[in-house]
Amino acid sequence: QVQLVESGGGLVQPGGSLRLSCAVSGSFFSINDMAWYRQAPGKQRELVASITSYGSTNYADSVKGRFTVSRDNAKNTVYLQLNSLKPEDTAVYYCNADVVVIFLGRGAYWGQGTQVTVSS
């Protein structure tokens, strides 16, 4: 069983920073791409940032220059550094990982979500 556990959300003032973490645990062979998505109330879930196993990154236009995605392959963990936060960044942030599980094959796994609220 593969589990993704996120941490680091919270309430922050506009212009502030947060760092989200997502650790993958369980029995698996490898982790390919990892990503962060977010979903604001009344809106569809959207891709925020992704990172390949080799470290290549991709960002939504709305967060370029403010957010940074990184990963520690030894710890099976992906991070999202959120800087210069704006009220429109308020959402539940979800971690996603493309994981290869022995005998089951490749699949997409999701974390439970962590709330980020940007408000004065």
Side-chain angles (χ1 to χ4, degrees), residues 22 33-37 47 49-51 69 78 94-97 110:
C22 172
D33 293 0
M34 303 181 81
W36 289 94
Y37 287 74
L47 175 66
S50 64
I51 184 168
V69 62
V78 63
Y94 295 92
C95 173
N96 170 271
W110 292 88

Side-chain angles (χ1 to χ4, degrees), residues 10-16 85-90 116-120:
L11 173 64
V12 63
Q13 293 185 342
L85 281 161
K86 304 175 181 180
E88 51 263 43
D89 295 318
T90 296
V116 172
T117 302
V118 184
S119 175
S120 56

Side-chain angles (χ1 to χ4, degrees), residues 47-51 55-70 79-81:
L47 175 66
V48 175
S50 64
I51 184 168
S56 294
T57 58
N58 181 57
Y59 296 92
D61 288 342
S62 59
V63 307
K64 282 181 181 177
R66 300 188 298 121
F67 292 7
T68 302
V69 62
S70 60
Y79 306 95
L80 185 67
Q81 179 68 39

Side-chain angles (χ1 to χ4, degrees), residues 1-118:
Q1 186 77 7
V2 176
Q3 289 186 321
L4 278 64
V5 178
E6 298 141 345
S7 61
L11 173 64
V12 63
Q13 293 185 342
S17 298
L18 283 174
R19 189 190 194 210
L20 307 183
S21 300
C22 172
V24 182
S25 64
S27 298
F28 54 87
F29 178 71
S30 64
I31 304 172
N32 299 318
D33 293 0
M34 303 181 81
W36 289 94
Y37 287 74
R38 67 186 181 187
Q39 187 167 19
K43 295 187 177 181
Q44 290 189 329
R45 190 173 297 189
E46 63 174 355
L47 175 66
V48 175
S50 64
I51 184 168
T52 70
S53 57
Y54 297 101
S56 294
T57 58
N58 181 57
Y59 296 92
D61 288 342
S62 59
V63 307
K64 282 181 181 177
R66 300 188 298 121
F67 292 7
T68 302
V69 62
S70 60
R71 65 191 283 173
D72 184 335
N73 290 333
K75 295 181 179 180
N76 298 319
T77 299
V78 63
Y79 306 95
L80 185 67
Q81 179 68 39
L82 297 75
N83 296 330
S84 302
L85 281 161
K86 304 175 181 180
E88 51 263 43
D89 295 318
T90 296
V92 178
Y93 283 70
Y94 295 92
C95 173
N96 170 271
D98 179 7
V99 182
V100 179
V101 180
I102 297 174
F103 302 124
L104 294 180
R106 185 175 175 180
Y109 294 83
W110 292 88
Q112 79 285 358
T114 185
Q115 177 70 46
V116 172
T117 302
V118 184

